[in-house]
Amino acid sequence: MSSLYRQLSDELRAGIAGGTYPPGSRLPSESELAERYGASRGTVRQAFTVLAADGLISSRKGTRRLVLQPTLVQSFSQLHSFSQWAASIGETPGGRMVALVRREPTELEAGKLELDPGERVYHLTRLRLLSGRPVMVERTAYVERIGALIGGIVIDGDDESITIRLEELGVVFAHAEHTVSAIPAEADDAHLLDVRPRTPLLRELRRTTDPDNRPLEWSDDRYLGDAVAFTVHNSVQANTLVRSSATVTKETPA
């Protein structure tokens, strides 16, 4: 049976999800909840700690906790595209192509994509939007056999999911490695995202391969730090990186 603080956090979580405590409202005080559930104030504080760690409420002590925007999560282990993730959280995905060029790879791209001398890449730069708001600059280098398919896709529509269209054409995205770090916005990032230079961004470097572990793409994606975050959920069964709204949490086994 779950401990009392877990039961309390689950009930409060359900109240937040169901609209009893909408974003911007405040939860009952520690003393009110302690009396209502026959629990100690320490138990209530533990429940608050769980909800704050999940990004559902403010963590400030000494006042009634403020309900934040719900955390919206998509597991990268499922290799969902940005468009699939956006749709799954009730947002409208959008995009605008900035540039698509066929060129020689950089030294880093050649290494990550395991290219032979003389091979070229297709490099795509796109601005990605959530319900009209710019939130990410996507810069992806595709191996030539994949990149040759990209032109027709982005011409059909800037907001197309390239991943889904490529899968329809028989390309299988089977594995991915992700590296996440924080960087300041460079001039091009700031211009595209309509923010000041050096605004904090979250950078996701991603290398994706097919079922035979052959490289398909190497991507440098830069997200607005107040719009999207990454969470690591740890358990004895698996470690899963997930993308979420703007909180960063690392959960460890109980």
Side-chain angles (χ1 to χ4, degrees):
M1 180 180 294
S2 299
S3 60
L4 183 55
Y5 84 90
R6 284 287 183 186
Q7 294 177 11
L8 176 54
S9 67
D10 287 346
E11 289 196 26
L12 292 173
R13 188 191 309 276
I16 292 170
T20 302
Y21 307 114
S25 67
R26 294 190 180 276
L27 293 180
S29 67
E30 289 181 4
S31 57
E32 289 178 277
L33 289 171
E35 182 177 353
R36 183 183 304 175
Y37 289 93
S40 68
R41 292 184 64 169
T43 296
V44 176
R45 281 194 291 271
Q46 282 184 289
F48 284 165
T49 297
V50 171
L51 297 176
D54 287 342
L56 295 177
I57 64 172
S58 64
S59 58
R60 184 179 176 184
K61 298 179 180 179
T63 185
R64 290 172 58 186
R65 302 306 200 278
L66 180 70
V67 178
L68 305 177
Q69 290 292 330
T71 300
L72 305 170
V73 175
Q74 181 257 315
S75 172
F76 279 120
S77 66
Q78 297 172 307
L79 292 185
H80 282 177
S81 70
F82 178 92
S83 296
Q84 289 171 314
W85 169 68
S88 76
I89 62 174
E91 299 276 0
T92 302
R96 175 168 63 84
M97 186 181 74
V98 178
L100 174 65
V101 295
R102 180 177 177 267
R103 59 164 172 76
E104 293 183 0
T106 64
E107 184 176 348
L108 177 62
E109 290 166 349
K112 293 296 184 180
L113 296 174
E114 300 176 8
L115 301 177
D116 293 326
E119 288 191 275
R120 291 177 171 263
V121 297
Y122 280 79
H123 189 272
L124 174 66
T125 302
R126 282 205 299 174
L127 179 65
R128 308 309 307 272
L129 302 93
L130 287 179
S131 299
R133 180 193 180 192
V135 297
M136 187 259 278
V137 179
E138 177 183 72
R139 297 182 176 91
T140 307
Y142 295 92
V143 296
E144 194 155 16
R145 69 181 186 278
I146 304 302
L149 304 171
I150 300 296
I153 295 174
V154 295
I155 289 173
D156 284 348
D158 284 347
D159 58 353
E160 285 272 6
S161 170
I162 290 177
T163 300
I164 293 175
R165 289 292 302 277
L166 287 174
E167 288 174 345
E168 291 172 351
L169 294 171
V171 179
V172 179
F173 293 86
H175 313 285
E177 301 168 357
H178 308 267
T179 302
V180 180
S181 60
I183 61 168
E186 298 173 358
D188 287 348
D189 301 325
H191 174 71
L192 290 169
L193 294 168
D194 194 24
V195 296
R196 293 179 180 274
R198 302 195 64 77
T199 294
L201 303 179
L202 284 174
R203 181 191 201 188
E204 180 211 348
L205 298 176
R206 183 181 67 257
R207 178 178 181 270
T208 310
T209 59
D210 68 12
D212 296 322
N213 214 33
R214 294 182 302 170
L216 299 173
E217 63 177 8
W218 168 251
S219 195
D220 181 337
D221 299 339
R222 302 183 181 195
Y223 294 84
L224 282 178
D226 65 350
V228 179
F230 300 91
T231 305
V232 178
H233 295 276
N234 292 338
S235 72
V236 294
Q237 288 84 19
N239 297 316
T240 303
L241 176 68
V242 298
R243 176 168 45 195
S244 70
S245 60
T247 57
V248 179
T249 307
K250 186 174 181 180
E251 296 188 357
T252 54

